[in-house]
Amino acid sequence: MTKELAAEMAADCLASRVRRLERTVSRIYDGALRGTGITAPQLSLLTAVELAGPTTAAFVGKLLDLEKSTVSRNLARLAALGLIETGDDLRITSRGSATIRECHPLWRRAQQQLREALAPRELELLAALEPVHPRRSSHGKRRNVRE
């Protein structure tokens, strides 16, 4: 009986499939960024600060749906590398802007590599996920608007 339950869970578990996809994605993007000094999640955080800044850690965490500790740890790493300033607001530095420019062609190659690794049906499912866009609300605070 337990073997049948385990077999069903192994065959049908969506969480396991998503985690396997995440590991594949991480390998591709982190491999592409090797040598830049940052990881794919850190690049996502850096680009979020660029798009939303000046902003707060809380806003970036909400925007990217990240745990507070994950945001804090990665922002500290980006600040230590001189890519962001963490005063009253988070702001990207000129070095951070240069890093985005350096990473962009590497990111594009990773995008292409992942497109080639996934089946058309899988790409359609990913394309259906809405991107997040930081925008200002009417009272000057940044908020996440899905378009």
Side-chain angles (χ1 to χ4, degrees):
M1 175 68 164
T2 305
K3 280 197 187 280
E4 291 85 16
L5 298 175
E8 177 188 356
M9 292 167 70
D12 295 339
C13 185
L14 297 175
S16 292
R17 290 177 187 188
V18 169
R19 286 185 187 108
R20 192 171 62 235
L21 175 62
E22 195 279 328
R23 287 189 297 273
T24 299
V25 170
S26 292
R27 267 193 306 277
I28 289 171
Y29 284 83
D30 285 341
L33 296 174
R34 193 167 289 117
T36 64
I38 64 171
T39 63
Q42 290 166 349
L43 180 59
S44 292
L45 203 58
L46 185 63
T47 59
V49 172
E50 170 66 3
L51 291 173
T55 190
T56 65
F59 176 78
V60 172
K62 282 185 180 180
L63 179 68
L64 299 176
D65 195 22
L66 295 171
E67 295 289 328
K68 185 177 180 179
S69 61
T70 301
V71 173
S72 297
R73 182 176 55 254
N74 283 300
L75 287 177
R77 172 85 171 129
L78 294 175
L81 292 170
L83 305 180
I84 62 168
E85 295 174 351
T86 58
D88 290 337
D89 289 319
L90 296 175
R91 296 174 190 272
I92 195 164
T93 65
S94 58
R95 190 171 181 177
S97 294
T99 298
I100 290 174
R101 287 190 301 275
E102 174 190 359
C103 290
H104 186 261
L106 305 172
W107 170 84
R108 277 199 162 173
R109 277 190 287 249
Q111 289 277 98
Q112 185 59 38
Q113 188 178 353
L114 186 59
R115 283 188 180 103
E116 292 168 4
L118 297 176
R121 187 170 143 223
E122 294 165 327
L123 289 170
E124 286 176 24
L125 289 171
L126 290 174
L129 298 173
E130 297 179 33
V132 290
H133 302 282
R135 296 280 167 84
R136 285 199 187 274
S137 69
S138 60
H139 50 76
K141 300 272 185 190
R142 299 252 181 209
R143 63 185 175 96
N144 180 19
V145 177
R146 294 188 180 263
E147 296 181 329

